[in-house]
Amino acid sequence: MEHRSSQLTARRAEPADRTEPARTRRAVLLPGRAPVQDSRAVAYDPGAGADSVRLRAARVLEDNWTGTSTVPSRGLYPHQWSWDSAFIAIGLRHLSPLRAQTELETLLGAQWGDGRIPHIVFNPSVPLDAYFPSPDFWRSSTAGRAAGAPRTVQTSGTVQPPVHALAAWLVHRADPGLSRARGFLAGVYPRLAAWHRYLLHRRDLGGAGLASVVHPWEQGMDNSPCWDAPLARVAPAPARSFRRADLDHGAPEDRPTDLDYGRYVRLATDYRDGGYRDGGYRDGPGAGGAFAVEDPAFNALLIASEHALADIAGELGATGTARRARAERLTGVLIERLWDPARGMFFCRDLRGGGLVPERGVSGLVPLLLPTLPGEVAGALVRTLSGPHFGDGTRLVPSYDLRGEAFDPHRYWRGPAWFNTGWLLERGLRVHGERERAGALREAMLDTADASGFAEYVDPYTGEACGAAGFSWTAALTLDLLEGRDSHDTGADRSAGSNRSARSAEAAGADGAEGGDRG
């Protein structure tokens, strides 16, 4: 699959849809290219001054832009990351819808033949020792040949949470005229549909319908205490067999331990040496494989993106009925498999160990964003979010139980607050009518993001910056929060496009397919 990035900026943007609010036009400068007119680039308020939050956030994204995508940070993460790019596109749409579309198209240009979207797309101009695991570790074009890895682009073989269809829909909504003129949704829809088929079929390792992750890196919250028990079965790779580049940019006390990292490397090595094949599992002790977990946030994002794909199908002339039905069915499976009413939140299911992992992670709150979640489940999640495990004197929502034995306010995903999970929870609160709580969380996130220098993550109590500074998704989601919400953004209006009578054969084939190979 070839990159389309060489074609993207060559197309002229068309005028915005007349039904959308007009914004000042400005030229967006892409490195090494002539200015491209972007019809919906944001007009900064001159009265706010050069030091406004919006301008500072925009500068972060400009500094991290490579010409076709955005790196999470220049030092620690010098390549393109999958779910980072989705969140980045959600913010970029307020600065440049064209650039936001390009962000997603570049990522999807590295999709594998089996449908997976790899969690890292490597920049060949970056030295190999700048990040580990590097392309020579993953060997995607050779080890992933049977799974359809691209031959001309080097990637990882693992995946990340499927927030991409939601991002694509929101990017379209930012400038429907530009999107339609470029054929943006028509271009990304088949790839997103193939991505969902991969997760719903090849990653249904438990056999109940939910997607499983086979590595902590895939879930995105890779150092969470929720993984401690499943990882304990994994023999770590010898410390001498790899060099951690992350410690060149982050304090060791804020990063995963060498023991945990050794286990990550072992899992990735075994997955690579197995040709990145996804095997079947059965619940209970003795199931095959060292690590296979059904995670609530990963599956909630898959369900939310199924709703978004239904909206995209409607825009393309299809009904999206099958996707909405699937999203509602999967919501029921999520509750059946991962919901604990006694503790008022969702938990991970360890397919290898045969039960729910009894650790309270922020992942268990993320399903709040689902629009068809039953009222009693949503209400319990709101109470848990505000209760002693996540809301006891904190500024922002911690990534792990404040009362848990493994809580650490500074160590990667073991307690610090992250802005992407905060954004998802703010969205969920609005979806379920908790506007006052959502507003309070929004204001706290905006204040903390700016004060921390758009940090990667922060101490949930003090807001002290941790990890990388000038982090792209922090800046991008700050921009999105500054813009506010509408019904299309919150998911409150799920009828968009559902009453269209026309259904093209091409769209029907993409929307209705339950399996098969991607075209």
Side-chain angles (χ1 to χ4, degrees), residues 24 26 41-49 52 54-59 94-95 479:
T24 302
R26 71 174 173 90
V42 70
Y44 294 114
D45 178 8
S52 68
R54 182 178 282 103
L55 184 55
R56 287 193 290 273
R59 283 174 175 162
H94 303 297
L95 297 175
L479 289 170

Side-chain angles (χ1 to χ4, degrees), residues 160-235:
Q160 278 195 316
V163 69
H164 310 89
L166 174 60
W169 176 243
L170 296 181
V171 166
H172 164 78
R173 290 297 310 159
D175 192 338
L178 174 66
S179 175
R180 291 166 188 149
R182 296 185 68 250
F184 170 64
L185 291 183
V188 301
Y189 184 91
R191 294 174 180 263
L192 294 170
W195 167 222
H196 284 208
R197 281 197 297 274
Y198 168 78
L199 293 173
L200 291 167
H201 294 277
R202 302 201 184 202
R203 285 300 189 89
D204 180 13
L205 305 182
L210 299 183
S212 296
V213 295
V214 298
H215 196 294
W217 287 337
E218 296 197 312
Q219 194 268 352
M221 308 174 195
D222 33 283
N223 197 39
S224 170
C226 297
W227 312 129
D228 288 355
L231 278 176
R233 294 188 296 267
V234 179

Side-chain angles (χ1 to χ4, degrees), residues 68-129:
T68 55
S69 64
T70 310
V71 297
S73 71
R74 283 289 179 182
L76 185 54
Y77 306 105
H79 302 285
Q80 184 178 25
W81 260 257
S82 174
W83 75 327
D84 289 73
S85 277
F87 287 120
I88 290 164
I90 289 169
L92 271 177
R93 67 188 173 126
H94 303 297
L95 297 175
S96 168
L98 175 60
R99 189 174 287 189
Q101 292 175 27
T102 302
E103 183 81 38
L104 295 174
E105 289 167 327
T106 300
L107 177 67
L108 291 171
Q111 187 174 27
W112 289 29
D114 63 4
R116 82 181 76 193
I117 298 174
H119 97 275
I120 305 174
V121 181
F122 290 105
N123 182 344
S125 67
V126 174
L128 288 178
D129 62 358

Side-chain angles (χ1 to χ4, degrees), residues 80-82 107 110-122 131-150 153-161 195 198-199 202-203 212-219 264-265 267-279 298:
Q80 184 178 25
W81 260 257
S82 174
L107 177 67
Q111 187 174 27
W112 289 29
D114 63 4
R116 82 181 76 193
I117 298 174
H119 97 275
I120 305 174
V121 181
F122 290 105
Y131 183 81
F132 178 85
S134 52
D136 58 341
F137 171 87
W138 293 103
R139 306 171 200 164
S140 61
S141 59
T142 54
R145 184 179 297 134
V153 182
Q154 294 299 311
T155 76
S156 67
T158 47
V159 302
Q160 278 195 316
W195 167 222
Y198 168 78
L199 293 173
R202 302 201 184 202
R203 285 300 189 89
S212 296
V213 295
V214 298
H215 196 294
W217 287 337
E218 296 197 312
Q219 194 268 352
Y264 303 155
V265 172
L267 283 173
T269 300
D270 290 348
Y271 194 39
R272 177 199 67 199
D273 293 347
Y276 299 112
R277 290 188 298 272
D278 299 307
F298 192 100

Side-chain angles (χ1 to χ4, degrees), residues 18-44:
R18 293 182 183 274
T19 64
E20 293 295 300
R23 298 198 181 189
T24 302
R25 296 170 67 93
R26 71 174 173 90
V28 178
L29 291 176
L30 303 184
R33 298 185 183 274
V36 177
Q37 283 295 324
D38 186 332
S39 61
R40 285 291 306 280
V42 70
Y44 294 114

